[in-house]
Amino acid sequence: MSQEDKRLIVKSGNIFDSLTGSTLFNHTVVIEKNKIVWVNSDDDFAKEETDQIIDATGKTILPGMVECHVHIYASGNPHFEREYVRTKTDMYHYFALNNSQKHLQSGFTCVRDAGCYPGIAPALRRIFDTGLLAGPRLVVTDKGIWQWGNQEGVSPDPIINFDRENDQVLAGVDSVKHAVRDLKYRGANYVKTATTGGVLHGMESKVSFTLWTEEELEAIVKEAHRNDMHVAAHAHGKAGIVKAVKAGIDTIEHASFLDEEAVDLLVKQGNYIIPTQTAAMSLVSPALMQIMPPEIQKKTIEVDKQMKISHKLAFEKGVKIAIGTDAGTPGNYHGNTGNEVVLMVKDVGMTPVQAMQAATIGGAKAIWMDEKIGSLESGKFADLLICEQNPLENIDLITNYKNFSHVIKDGKVMVEKGKITYFSPLQPLHH
Ligand SMILES: [Zn+2]
């Protein structure tokens, strides 16, 4: 029997049941290949001769966490504009690999990329899926679908032309339908778009303004859903959020400016919001503010302040929330998503159990992965974390890499106490 055919047993731990929020004491997880095949009380566990056993006595077992919003190619360099002109395009493949691994090291076994240079994210997903390199499960949009008109380009022409080539400038129902089908062909799992301007774009990129027409947005959603893809919209201002929700977009990214009316609509339609508070928190730090252009400083301070108010209101009223950081934006380094989980407790008002549900089953539902991940159940992928100390008793522990004695993805122990220990096996020659 080869190493890969042996069952992996995580024995006698205390399992966080993300579906109910309760803890199942002294339970054992049996893994065959990349799937969980059995979860039950220790008393009912029958050992087999060849089992590989990890003793989790007294430890907490969590489902692998889900990070719903990162830009995997971008490293979070505060001098992002300088990096942009001093980096060869092919280098972004390696940045993406390195950044992905940081998520895995910090307990996030599934990561949704929210927009990348063409080709990078789908290719990396295949590399990780085949077990060639240690990395999280990726859910990707490739290059997304952009309206462009409500952003102001602020770069030299060669860069604007490069972006234009990569991003596709779209208008009209047929044009967006074509783009959705093209994304599917390119290996996207879902469609990312934007219904407002962004914080880092030029002065004329107002976060309150929204450009797509209702018809265009509805066409994106319909075509994506027909292709079994969900849709995410970057949306800061209320008008763009409301338009996205009405069009049936599944996840609202940032959701910075919410009022009672917008929140009621979100509750009614059942969309998820992905707060990305870490992005604003990183930008408003004095070190980052100093080097940002004045118009970005002004927008950021406003967005950071409003986000906290909006997300708290949303949570209190029952809007569904999943975890995402927007890692890759300036000062927002990959591998710190635990920080966002803590912010959900400290700023938004979740209990640690609710925050951990948002980080596991909530994220899985938001990105249409809940039949495969998000809870520890027979039939799901074997993505789980063994914690020395229980983060549900002290949520700050979720930011501590070293507290994860094992990060298991696809049934393979990939990380031990923050260090990657998985490498694809050597293949023997045939004689
Ligand atoms: Zn983003």
Side-chain angles (χ1 to χ4, degrees):
M1 181 180 270
S2 78
Q3 194 72 14
E4 294 212 333
D5 293 331
K6 291 179 183 169
R7 303 196 309 177
L8 178 64
I9 314 296
V10 179
K11 198 167 177 313
S12 308
N14 303 323
I15 292 179
F16 173 61
D17 179 359
S18 57
L19 300 176
T20 62
S22 61
T23 300
L24 309 168
F25 293 95
N26 305 316
H27 269 53
T28 290
V29 182
V30 177
I31 298 162
E32 274 179 26
K33 293 199 161 66
N34 64 344
K35 294 270 177 69
I36 296 169
V37 295
W38 191 87
V39 183
N40 221 320
S41 162
D42 291 349
D43 304 336
D44 300 326
F45 170 65
K47 188 181 176 308
E48 287 177 13
E49 189 77 4
T50 53
D51 283 347
Q52 283 184 289
I53 295 185
I54 299 173
D55 182 6
T57 306
K59 296 183 182 177
T60 302
I61 306 173
L62 302 175
M65 293 186 284
V66 183
E67 156 61 274
C68 296
H69 190 131
V70 307
H71 298 279
I72 209 70
Y73 72 108
S75 304
N77 189 336
H79 296 279
F80 68 104
E81 286 158 324
R82 192 190 303 167
E83 182 178 272
Y84 201 57
V85 292
R86 295 292 299 170
T87 303
K88 289 184 76 68
T89 313
D90 290 342
M91 286 169 70
Y92 285 108
H93 286 277
Y94 304 98
F95 290 172
L97 169 62
N98 184 248
N99 292 331
S100 299
Q101 290 185 331
K102 285 174 179 158
H103 290 285
L104 185 72
Q105 286 169 282
S106 55
F108 288 80
T109 52
C110 181
V111 174
R112 185 177 67 160
D113 181 74
C116 199
Y117 285 143
I120 293 178
L124 195 54
R125 183 194 59 211
R126 282 182 63 188
I127 296 287
F128 293 150
D129 282 351
T130 52
L132 202 60
L133 291 165
R137 206 173 288 291
L138 292 182
V139 173
V140 307
T141 185
D142 198 38
K143 56 186 176 177
I145 289 181
W146 312 112
Q147 53 191 342
W148 264 60
N150 76 358
Q151 291 166 208
E152 180 197 7
V154 288
S155 311
D157 285 350
I159 291 180
I160 290 194
N161 291 338
F162 175 74
D163 284 347
R164 196 180 286 272
E165 231 170 76
N166 288 333
D167 283 352
Q168 353 176 49
V169 187
L170 300 165
V173 165
D174 285 344
S175 165
V176 300
K177 273 191 191 169
H178 177 94
V180 170
R181 293 176 190 181
D182 190 46
L183 280 190
K184 182 79 181 178
Y185 176 75
R186 299 176 60 86
N189 306 102
Y190 81 104
V191 175
K192 168 81 187 293
T193 187
T195 56
T196 71
V199 175
L200 293 175
H201 299 130
M203 184 72 106
E204 291 309 315
S205 312
K206 301 232 172 9
V207 295
S208 56
F209 181 66
T210 176
L211 185 69
W212 286 122
T213 65
E214 280 82 3
E215 291 76 22
E216 286 166 334
L217 276 183
E218 279 162 19
I220 291 173
V221 172
K222 209 169 159 197
E223 199 60 25
H225 286 180
R226 243 158 52 82
N227 280 288
D228 200 26
M229 297 194 283
H230 70 278
V231 183
H234 156 115
H236 285 290
K238 182 190 164 185
I241 293 167
V242 166
K243 199 188 264 183
V245 174
K246 284 187 174 161
I249 284 176
D250 305 282
T251 66
I252 309 298
E253 314 298 305
H254 319 303
S256 309
F257 295 83
L258 294 172
D259 60 8
E260 298 266 348
E261 190 196 8
V263 163
D264 287 346
L265 186 65
L266 278 161
V267 172
K268 189 167 147 246
Q269 305 284 356
N271 323 57
Y272 272 86
I273 64 167
I274 317 291
T276 69
Q277 290 195 358
T278 307
M281 189 202 82
S282 307
L283 265 182
V284 292
S285 72
L288 267 289
M289 276 287 104
Q290 247 177 31
I291 56 174
M292 290 296 145
E295 74 263 27
I296 292 183
Q297 291 183 18
K298 198 168 154 269
K299 276 203 274 186
T300 306
I301 290 166
E302 204 190 338
V303 165
D304 178 60
K305 201 177 108 216
Q306 271 311 314
M307 266 186 163
K308 290 185 181 129
I309 299 166
S310 295
H311 301 153
K312 194 164 195 299
L313 176 71
F315 177 66
E316 284 166 3
K317 291 269 187 166
V319 175
K320 296 176 190 164
I321 297 180
I323 305 293
T325 55
D326 213 356
T329 53
N332 185 2
Y333 302 102
H334 294 266
N336 294 302
T337 307
N339 176 71
E340 186 81 15
V341 180
V342 174
L343 289 177
M344 291 303 109
V345 174
K346 295 192 173 154
D347 284 350
V348 174
M350 292 186 188
T351 63
V353 165
Q354 288 168 329
M356 285 311 302
Q357 286 178 309
T360 53
I361 191 67
K365 282 183 176 163
I367 65 171
W368 291 15
M369 288 287 282
D370 54 306
E371 282 177 14
K372 296 173 183 158
I373 58 166
S375 58
L376 300 177
E377 291 175 271
S378 179
K380 287 195 172 180
F381 285 127
D383 296 357
L384 52 137
L385 317 171
I386 306 175
C387 309
E388 298 280 0
Q389 289 176 286
N390 187 355
L392 295 149
E393 286 169 6
N394 171 10
I395 196 67
D396 288 324
L397 286 168
I398 208 71
T399 64
N400 181 358
Y401 293 16
K402 292 187 181 149
N403 189 45
F404 302 118
S405 68
H406 301 78
V407 175
I408 297 168
K409 190 213 112 189
D410 253 345
K412 300 178 177 87
V413 176
M414 293 205 160
V415 175
E416 290 167 71
K417 291 183 180 286
K419 291 208 174 84
I420 292 173
T421 52
Y422 171 82
F423 297 94
S424 58
L426 283 165
Q427 301 283 352
L429 293 171
H430 296 289
H431 288 284

